[in-house]
Amino acid sequence: ERMKLAVERSRRRLQWFAKAVKAAKDASTNDYKAPVSAADGAYLTSLSIGTPPVKFTAIVDTGSDLVWCQCKPCDPCYKQTGPIFDPSKSSTYKKASCDDSLCQALPQSQCSPTCQYSYEYG
């Protein structure tokens, strides 16, 4: 049963990557690179989100294609040393629409009225 679940996760991940690559190609022709460093068994990278940019140190999740950050308002917020991203202070932040190709590439998404998704490990 575990092997069957692992194969299914891999199949879904491959489908997601294929859709995400197509969506990224459709959205932009820019190449983005981020430096990655090893620390205490994890891979870390620095990235900026929003306009004006807010710099974060993020853990690169090698088990998925996601990078997570906390956004205001969060209740309760996880205690962290760096800033929490505040979408209301970013001039470029916008919620993804349901017909956005990135939303459609998610393995589990729904509309209410904008793109919402969940992601599970295991």
Side-chain angles (χ1 to χ4, degrees):
E1 184 64 25
R2 281 186 175 188
M3 182 61 101
K4 190 177 184 181
L5 290 172
V7 168
E8 180 60 23
R9 276 193 313 271
S10 294
R11 186 187 65 74
R12 283 192 310 235
R13 187 174 295 139
L14 178 62
Q15 288 175 335
W16 189 95
F17 275 120
K19 288 180 183 178
V21 166
K22 183 182 181 323
K25 283 181 182 177
D26 292 346
S28 174
T29 59
N30 296 326
D31 289 328
Y32 298 98
K33 297 180 183 175
V36 176
S37 61
D40 297 326
Y43 295 101
L44 304 176
T45 190
S46 292
L47 55 97
S48 295
I49 301 175
T51 304
V54 178
K55 190 172 183 177
F56 294 91
T57 298
I59 296 175
V60 178
D61 184 350
T62 58
S64 77
D65 53 346
L66 300 175
V67 175
W68 296 96
C69 75
Q70 292 190 98
C71 296
K72 289 184 180 180
C74 52
D75 183 29
C77 295
Y78 173 79
K79 192 168 192 141
Q80 65 185 50
T81 57
I84 296 174
F85 179 67
D86 187 347
S88 69
K89 294 183 178 176
S90 173
S91 64
T92 54
Y93 172 82
K94 69 176 184 173
K95 292 183 178 184
S97 68
C98 295
D99 59 350
D100 187 299
S101 59
L102 293 174
C103 181
Q104 293 175 1
L106 293 164
Q108 297 175 359
S109 64
Q110 53 185 303
C111 292
S112 183
T114 56
C115 182
Q116 297 181 10
Y117 69 93
S118 64
Y119 201 91
E120 297 176 12
Y121 295 91

